[in-house]
Amino acid sequence: MTTLAVVGTGYVGLTTGACFAHLGHHVICADIDEEKVARLQRGEIPIVEDGLERLVTEGIKSGRLEFVVGAAEAARRAEIVFLCVPTPQGEDGAADLSYIEAAAAQIADVLQPEAVVVNKSTVPVGSTKVVERVLQRSDVYVVSNPEFLREGSAVNDFLKPDRIVIGSESQAAASKLAALYLGVPTPIIVTDPASAETIKYAANGFLAMKISFVNAVAAMCEAVGADVEDVVLGIGFDKRIGHEFLKPGPGWGGSCFPKDSRALVKIAEDHGYNFTMMRGVIDVNEQQRLRILAKIREAVGGVLHGAKVGVWGLTFKARTDDLRESPSIAAIHELLRSGAKVKAYDPTIVEPLSGYKRDLLQGVELCADPYGAADGVDALVVLTEWDEFRWLDLEKVASVMVGNCLVDARNLLQRSAVMHAGLKYVGVGRL
Ligand code: NAD
């Protein structure tokens, strides 16, 4: 059993802490948010993430999982310290390392000799050096161990990852870190820190590229009269292509792809390479948002001012409560700016709202169920792929709407079922 500290108890930190405790380690999770720490100490999970509550409860009961306020409090007792703090987009597109630097400064004086400090946050190439500079400790190691979990399946992704990547200049530190993952059967790639950091950005860049690609193909399908769902089926059976991540929609969002794709362009630019392909991926994503907005405008008869729009789905994807950079929120803000009225329903976003969620949803009428969000609207838009939207009574939906158009920005519903209910169906890249 190794004693670990996890600094930052957000989506990544809390999952990391709870999973390592589940694997048998003693984990001390730290956050600067005192209220969050108090809630976690009581076993209350501040986020929606499948299986996480069970692991946190199990960890607290076994005594292997603790929550404390402040990074130093956790780091002073740990052999290995994971930094899981935010790395938001800075003004110039580069990742803002101020949270990482602040966390490193907070732990510098209390680290045990031979401690390993792990960058699990997504950080640009060279960030292990940044942490080393802040720590000013020649007796500790700094390594990179990027995280690839997806919100919505974070626990499963952590315990059954496709691979683990460790970037370290010290073989001893890499081995110490690799030993923590005993019990996680997956390939471990040990490389230098710059390669590990690049792997994370390249992976996210590639995934964003797949979505932008399929959205571009969907636009082409609309132009030539093809059906993108059949096209994806047809290309996906090619083993070199596969079916994964080729789902047309309102564009990618979330807390990672937008900032990481811009950071990738910026890292390349700073090192003299113009990553035009990644710029194109970002451009296609912005175009896609406009294309969805144009569909909504058309659905309400061409004028958004004064129109009533119902929205199903607010989170950036299903099975999470995360609204950060959600395409749904971007669309809603644009609708409100154009003078439309917006009612919305999402299974994880319920009153009373607080913090950033309340700010993002200002001016939106939040409904308790999907029928409420359809009631009295000129058009209804599906913006998140929540499974429950597939099984609704569409005739009831049609009966409460004023207008008769359903824009399915996720290609989630059966067009025939929507039409059977007397509604007009508008999908993405579909005939
Ligand atoms: P988050 O915003 O959900 O959580 C970050 C937490 O860190 C917050 O609770 C905050 O209060 C805390 N914090 C900030 N400074 C601190 C400090 N000095 N000491 C203690 N706590 C501190 O962030 P997240 O989504 O978990 O992302 C963290 C990092 O992991 C980012 O770099 C992100 O890009 C990366 N990442 C995220 C995901 C994801 O799906 N969310 C996946 C892979 C990688």
Side-chain angles (χ1 to χ4, degrees), residues 25-46:
H25 301 291
H26 175 211
V27 186
I28 311 156
C29 289
D31 209 288
I32 38 170
D33 183 337
E34 292 182 20
E35 197 191 317
K36 199 184 226 182
V37 171
R39 286 184 66 187
L40 287 166
Q41 285 169 338
R42 294 195 295 271
E44 289 171 27
I45 308 295

Side-chain angles (χ1 to χ4, degrees), residues 35-84:
E35 197 191 317
K36 199 184 226 182
V37 171
R39 286 184 66 187
L40 287 166
Q41 285 169 338
R42 294 195 295 271
E44 289 171 27
I45 308 295
I47 53 172
V48 172
E49 195 57 69
D50 201 26
L52 191 55
E53 188 163 4
R54 191 177 56 78
L55 289 193
V56 170
T57 308
E58 171 195 285
I60 293 173
K61 271 197 184 140
S62 68
R64 287 198 304 273
L65 186 60
E66 291 178 51
F67 295 97
V68 299
V69 176
E73 190 51 33
R76 72 174 80 246
R77 289 190 275 155
E79 296 155 69
I80 302 185
V81 182
F82 287 88
L83 301 182
C84 304

